[in-house]
Amino acid sequence: MQLREATSEDLELLDDMLLEAFNWDGTARLTRDQVVADVHTARYLGGWRRPGDFGLVAVEGETPLGAIWARALPAAAPGYGYVADDIPEIGMGVSRGRRGQGVGSALLAGCIEQARTLGWRALSLSVEDGNDAARALYARHGFSAVGRNGGSDTLLREL
């Protein structure tokens, strides 16, 4: 497995990975069309890759295994894991057949390093109740709860 920088050509893949993230428990709560059309979820990837956006794609050969991306969102149009205008919120998805094999951990470590290199002070994200595997992953990488939004916790990782 290798990591490469996410480019503007990866938008379709990122949309697919956002769908994987929303349907993390195997329940088809949202379709790809719903994810792409939703005003709130479009905040994460609409116009990708605008200035300040960054991310990584995990690949094995030419096959994508997962992706992580980050974008700073304003208080006027926050994401589910919003903390502050100057803290990018990350989204991540791993292909269903590759979960539990270190893909998410590699993506998360790489994104943290990208954020440090780019000079960000922290990263945030949202994780739903019941997603224990993701919570454990985020805890291993130094994220801690700083808020609550509905049935999800907002996590923060200081850099």
Side-chain angles (χ1 to χ4, degrees), residues 79-152:
Y80 294 110
Y82 175 84
V83 172
D85 287 7
D86 64 339
I87 297 177
E89 184 176 346
I90 63 173
M92 179 172 65
V94 175
S95 297
R96 192 164 312 278
R98 295 308 299 252
R99 294 180 186 164
Q101 299 175 18
V103 176
S105 187
L107 286 166
L108 195 53
C111 185
I112 290 168
E113 187 56 37
Q114 270 188 317
R116 272 195 195 110
T117 300
L118 293 168
W120 294 103
R121 68 181 179 100
L123 291 169
S124 71
L125 58 87
S126 176
V127 61
E128 289 185 28
D129 293 345
N131 195 346
D132 297 334
R135 286 177 183 275
L137 171 67
Y138 300 138
R140 285 193 307 272
H141 286 270
F143 284 82
S144 58
V146 295
R148 186 120 178 108
N149 184 357
S152 301

Side-chain angles (χ1 to χ4, degrees), residues 2-21:
Q2 294 181 317
L3 300 181
R4 65 166 175 78
E5 189 170 336
T7 69
S8 57
E9 287 79 39
D10 290 312
L11 180 57
E12 188 172 316
L13 170 65
L14 298 181
D15 284 335
D16 289 342
M17 291 300 103
L18 183 58
L19 178 63
E20 287 290 332

